[in-house]
Amino acid sequence: MRKSLSIVLTVLLATLPCLSLGAAPAMGKVEGTVTLSGRPLAGVDVVLLDASSGAVYRTRSTGAGSFQAQVAPGQYLVTTENAKGLVVGHGPTLLPVVAGRVASASIDLLALAVPLGQEPPSASPGEGIPGSGAIGFSPELTCFVAGEFPLLSALVTPADKVARVRVYFKSALGDAYYYVEAGPGESAMTSAKLPRPKVEASPITYYWQATFTDFGEVTGHEIVADVVESADQCGDKVVAPFGPAGPVQVFSAATGGAIAPAGFAAGALGAGAIAAIVAGAIGAGVVGAVVVVGTPTPGPTPTPTPRPTPTPTPTPRPSPTPTPTPLPSPIPPDTVPPVSPFQ
């Protein structure tokens, strides 16, 4: 029996083609880092797309922002997948990968101001993802002056891991939430300027939300602010400082529609603001911003250009009928003198 099995195996090995270890397809390696404004970013899904075959390789960045992947040789498009409104700001357009070698790719993400679906917060004060950070106020601003830009401030920690900060708000005229992007302020604070509220919008409800480079989030509690005609009507409430004049980009938190927030002064979109919104929409696939500015001054009514009056064509006069010229009367024969042949 063993002899028969040995013979069969010998025949099979003789008929199969010889395969060497070198015949297996060699792979290349991609290594790199993912950052946000130069800071390492963890938990980002990096996608490598083979431009020729369409093969897709995925990997994820670590706590130091580094990532690596084994891929087949080829030309690769490099991008990321995330739901935080982050897009590739700087990175290789086309990454060549060679078998047996390491290709390097550094990706720096850009926080794009695009609308993301957001419901009113249900978290208690200070709640969020453990270890992600905190939002503090000192003090809470609970009174806005109508017609002025409320300037809000908060202490967001840890500051070196902040990816983006937003302030969500709504007026008493509706349940729709809007938001503005916050940025660095004075004394390590984060500041945000709201559009100018109207008195009929009182009270204004708002809250802060911060996203960190590890994709942790923390949501502050809701704060209610009255809207009054003048600061002396605030009583014991803390008046919000007045922000500088200038446009404010406001986004719809629910639909992303380009609509002025209810209860706030709104004006026309400036050319620069439209360009910024369109650029953001192209990168994110959505449009959802409106710039809130002062009431625009109507331009002068253009003077209509008078149409030229056509020159009338003269009516041709009829040509006069010519009068016939009378022929001379014939001379009678008896009065004609004789003709001499010698004349």
Side-chain angles (χ1 to χ4, degrees), residues 126-139:
E127 244 182 65
I129 299 177
S132 60
I135 301 176
F137 311 95
S138 181

Side-chain angles (χ1 to χ4, degrees), residues 132-229:
S132 60
I135 301 176
F137 311 95
S138 181
E140 294 181 0
L141 304 177
T142 54
C143 191
F144 298 162
V145 176
E148 300 289 348
F149 294 100
L151 188 62
L152 311 180
S153 297
L155 181 62
V156 183
T157 54
D160 61 338
K161 294 187 179 298
V162 173
R164 73 189 317 157
V165 182
R166 290 173 173 174
V167 176
Y168 289 83
F169 63 95
K170 68 174 182 176
S171 74
L173 300 180
D175 295 328
Y177 267 87
Y178 306 89
Y179 70 82
V180 295
E181 297 285 349
E186 297 180 355
S187 302
M189 301 291 284
T190 301
S191 298
K193 186 176 75 170
L194 298 187
R196 298 175 297 163
K198 301 177 181 179
V199 173
E200 57 266 29
S202 183
I204 302 294
T205 303
Y206 70 95
Y207 66 93
W208 292 71
Q209 185 180 81
T211 303
F212 299 89
T213 55
D214 59 359
F215 286 156
E217 288 186 349
V218 60
T219 301
H221 60 279
E222 289 185 340
I223 303 173
V224 179
D226 293 334
V227 182
V228 297
E229 291 283 0

